[in-house]
């Protein structure tokens, strides 16, 4: 079990800030520790404060300025995270370096190792950018299914 005192858990040393408007309850983010990063879930979010719980069970409450939370960092999506959390590769074209991942109506198109497009089975692309994060996929899943995408159950 993760022990925040024994493991020198430090919550105020972070590399970037996240915009509060990108987050909702249940989103997974990174928390910086002295040993690296710890995956955490947003458990409450208000006009000036937030709470999170690490996947090891440690809880933390903090304040934010209404726009950014400088206590957390997004989890960048990669192929292994997708596969570990139930996404499957529907199409893979090595020559053009294109991958299409799918899970329960959510599709992620990865082109040339740097362009991502997220879309669902009922619409065209919802956004297109060079990096996407776990919370982007969670938010897209929620917008389609009106329920949370449960991740990191097997990790």
């Amino acid at each position: 079990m993760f022990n925040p005192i024994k493991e020198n858990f430090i919550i105020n040393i972070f590399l970037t800030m996240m915009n509060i408007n990108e987050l909702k309850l249940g989103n997974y983010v990174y928390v910086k520790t002295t040993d690296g990063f710890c995956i955490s879930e947003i458990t409450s979010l208000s006009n000036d404060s937030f709470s999170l719980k690490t996947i090891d069970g440690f809880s933390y409450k903090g304040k934010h300025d209404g726009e950014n939370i400088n206590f957390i960092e997004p989890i960048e999506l990669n192929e292994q995270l997708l596969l570990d959390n139930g996404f499957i590769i529907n199409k893979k074209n090595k020559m053009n370096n294109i991958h299409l991942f799918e899970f329960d109506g959510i599709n992620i198109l990865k082109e040339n190792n740097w362009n991502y497009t997220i879309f669902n089975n009922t619409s065209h692309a919802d956004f297109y950018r060079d990096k996407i994060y776990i919370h982007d996929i969670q938010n897209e899943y929620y917008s389609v299914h009106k329920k949370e995408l449960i991740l990191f159950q097997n990790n």
Side-chain angles (χ1 to χ4, degrees):
M1 178 67 94
F2 176 77
N3 181 331
I5 297 170
K6 183 178 178 185
E7 309 253 346
N8 296 319
F9 188 81
I10 297 178
I11 197 79
N12 60 358
I13 302 175
F14 296 93
L15 305 175
T16 62
M17 292 189 288
M18 286 190 69
N19 187 312
I20 193 75
N21 296 323
E22 293 182 32
L23 297 173
K24 66 176 196 54
L25 295 181
N27 281 159
Y28 291 100
V29 294
Y30 275 136
V31 173
K32 178 77 172 128
T33 70
T34 54
D35 295 328
F37 290 98
C38 183
I39 297 170
S40 302
E41 179 181 357
I42 302 290
T43 56
S44 74
L45 206 51
S46 71
N47 292 337
D48 66 350
S49 64
F50 70 96
S51 299
L52 54 84
K53 184 171 79 172
T54 69
I55 59 173
D56 295 325
F58 175 71
S59 295
Y60 176 80
K61 293 181 180 185
K63 297 283 186 187
H64 64 81
D65 66 7
E67 290 183 20
N68 296 302
I69 299 178
N70 59 357
F71 299 105
I72 60 178
E73 187 162 316
I75 301 172
E76 189 173 342
L77 201 60
N78 61 46
E79 184 172 325
Q80 195 59 51
L81 274 173
L82 288 170
L83 296 174
D84 287 349
N85 285 286
F87 282 78
I88 60 169
I89 298 176
N90 274 347
K91 294 182 182 175
K92 192 171 189 175
N93 183 330
K94 291 184 180 180
M95 189 164 72
N96 295 328
N97 208 9
I98 296 173
H99 300 76
L100 178 63
F101 299 91
E102 194 274 332
F103 178 81
D104 200 13
I106 304 300
N107 301 281
I108 302 166
L109 181 65
K110 179 183 175 190
E111 304 173 85
N112 302 318
N113 285 329
W114 60 275
N115 288 324
Y116 289 91
T117 305
I118 298 176
F119 57 98
N120 61 61
N121 288 345
T122 61
S123 72
H124 57 296
D126 288 322
F127 63 84
Y128 176 81
R129 60 177 132 167
D130 62 345
K131 287 184 182 179
I132 56 174
Y133 301 99
I134 289 290
H135 70 273
D136 295 325
I137 302 303
Q138 290 180 283
N139 294 349
E140 179 69 15
Y141 188 87
Y142 187 85
S143 75
V144 170
H145 297 289
K146 302 302 183 233
K147 64 181 181 178
E148 299 300 329
L149 174 61
I150 307 299
L151 300 171
F152 304 110
Q153 296 301 302
N154 299 324
N155 297 340

PDB file of all heavy atoms in Angstrom, residues 1 21 49 90 96 101 117 126 132:
ATOM      1  N   MET A   1       0.842  -1.185   0.000  1.00  0.00           N
ATOM      2  CA  MET A   1       0.000   0.000   0.000  1.00  0.00           C
ATOM      3  C   MET A   1       0.884   1.245   0.000  1.00  0.00           C
ATOM      4  O   MET A   1       1.888   1.299   0.690  1.00  0.00           O
ATOM      5  CB  MET A   1      -0.924  -0.038   1.216  1.00  0.00           C
ATOM      6  CG  MET A   1      -1.811   1.177   1.347  1.00  0.00           C
ATOM      7  SD  MET A   1      -3.032   1.324   0.040  1.00  0.00           S
ATOM      8  CE  MET A   1      -4.421   0.546   0.773  1.00  0.00           C
ATOM      9  N   ASN A  21     -11.212  23.971 -16.708  1.00  0.00           N
ATOM     10  CA  ASN A  21     -12.325  23.710 -17.626  1.00  0.00           C
ATOM     11  C   ASN A  21     -12.177  22.405 -18.396  1.00  0.00           C
ATOM     12  O   ASN A  21     -13.136  21.923 -18.986  1.00  0.00           O
ATOM     13  CB  ASN A  21     -12.492  24.872 -18.605  1.00  0.00           C
ATOM     14  CG  ASN A  21     -12.873  26.145 -17.894  1.00  0.00           C
ATOM     15  OD1 ASN A  21     -13.633  26.117 -16.934  1.00  0.00           O
ATOM     16  ND2 ASN A  21     -12.332  27.256 -18.342  1.00  0.00           N
ATOM     17  N   SER A  49     -11.669  24.848  -5.212  1.00  0.00           N
ATOM     18  CA  SER A  49     -10.944  23.739  -4.596  1.00  0.00           C
ATOM     19  C   SER A  49     -11.178  22.446  -5.371  1.00  0.00           C
ATOM     20  O   SER A  49     -12.039  22.372  -6.241  1.00  0.00           O
ATOM     21  CB  SER A  49     -11.372  23.561  -3.138  1.00  0.00           C
ATOM     22  OG  SER A  49     -12.732  23.204  -3.065  1.00  0.00           O
ATOM     23  N   ASN A  90      -8.221  -1.512 -34.550  1.00  0.00           N
ATOM     24  CA  ASN A  90      -9.075  -1.980 -35.644  1.00  0.00           C
ATOM     25  C   ASN A  90      -8.336  -2.003 -36.966  1.00  0.00           C
ATOM     26  O   ASN A  90      -8.550  -2.868 -37.788  1.00  0.00           O
ATOM     27  CB  ASN A  90     -10.324  -1.109 -35.772  1.00  0.00           C
ATOM     28  CG  ASN A  90     -11.417  -1.584 -34.851  1.00  0.00           C
ATOM     29  OD1 ASN A  90     -11.347  -2.667 -34.302  1.00  0.00           O
ATOM     30  ND2 ASN A  90     -12.430  -0.764 -34.674  1.00  0.00           N
ATOM     31  N   ASN A  96       1.966   3.770 -43.880  1.00  0.00           N
ATOM     32  CA  ASN A  96       1.566   5.167 -43.682  1.00  0.00           C
ATOM     33  C   ASN A  96       1.553   5.562 -42.210  1.00  0.00           C
ATOM     34  O   ASN A  96       1.219   6.680 -41.867  1.00  0.00           O
ATOM     35  CB  ASN A  96       0.180   5.410 -44.281  1.00  0.00           C
ATOM     36  CG  ASN A  96       0.194   5.247 -45.782  1.00  0.00           C
ATOM     37  OD1 ASN A  96       1.191   5.540 -46.428  1.00  0.00           O
ATOM     38  ND2 ASN A  96      -0.898   4.757 -46.328  1.00  0.00           N
ATOM     39  N   PHE A 101      -7.800   3.008 -33.192  1.00  0.00           N
ATOM     40  CA  PHE A 101      -8.161   2.335 -31.952  1.00  0.00           C
ATOM     41  C   PHE A 101      -9.649   2.523 -31.710  1.00  0.00           C
ATOM     42  O   PHE A 101     -10.199   3.585 -32.011  1.00  0.00           O
ATOM     43  CB  PHE A 101      -7.390   2.921 -30.763  1.00  0.00           C
ATOM     44  CG  PHE A 101      -5.913   2.785 -30.879  1.00  0.00           C
ATOM     45  CD1 PHE A 101      -5.154   3.786 -31.461  1.00  0.00           C
ATOM     46  CD2 PHE A 101      -5.262   1.647 -30.401  1.00  0.00           C
ATOM     47  CE1 PHE A 101      -3.782   3.663 -31.576  1.00  0.00           C
ATOM     48  CE2 PHE A 101      -3.881   1.526 -30.504  1.00  0.00           C
ATOM     49  CZ  PHE A 101      -3.145   2.536 -31.099  1.00  0.00           C
ATOM     50  N   THR A 117      -6.911  12.174 -33.846  1.00  0.00           N
ATOM     51  CA  THR A 117      -8.287  12.610 -34.044  1.00  0.00           C
ATOM     52  C   THR A 117      -9.162  11.700 -33.204  1.00  0.00           C
ATOM     53  O   THR A 117      -9.030  10.478 -33.260  1.00  0.00           O
ATOM     54  CB  THR A 117      -8.704  12.492 -35.526  1.00  0.00           C
ATOM     55  OG1 THR A 117      -7.770  13.223 -36.328  1.00  0.00           O
ATOM     56  CG2 THR A 117     -10.095  13.059 -35.740  1.00  0.00           C
ATOM     57  N   ASP A 126     -14.259  15.056 -33.216  1.00  0.00           N
ATOM     58  CA  ASP A 126     -14.554  16.001 -32.144  1.00  0.00           C
ATOM     59  C   ASP A 126     -13.368  16.915 -31.859  1.00  0.00           C
ATOM     60  O   ASP A 126     -13.551  18.042 -31.454  1.00  0.00           O
ATOM     61  CB  ASP A 126     -14.957  15.249 -30.879  1.00  0.00           C
ATOM     62  CG  ASP A 126     -16.337  14.640 -31.025  1.00  0.00           C
ATOM     63  OD1 ASP A 126     -17.202  15.290 -31.633  1.00  0.00           O
ATOM     64  OD2 ASP A 126     -16.536  13.521 -30.557  1.00  0.00           O
ATOM     65  N   ILE A 132      -2.988  13.938 -27.099  1.00  0.00           N
ATOM     66  CA  ILE A 132      -4.235  13.788 -26.375  1.00  0.00           C
ATOM     67  C   ILE A 132      -3.937  13.127 -25.042  1.00  0.00           C
ATOM     68  O   ILE A 132      -2.902  12.479 -24.857  1.00  0.00           O
ATOM     69  CB  ILE A 132      -5.305  12.996 -27.158  1.00  0.00           C
ATOM     70  CG1 ILE A 132      -4.808  11.617 -27.570  1.00  0.00           C
ATOM     71  CG2 ILE A 132      -5.796  13.780 -28.343  1.00  0.00           C
ATOM     72  CD1 ILE A 132      -5.869  10.767 -28.213  1.00  0.00           C
TER      73      ILE A 132
END
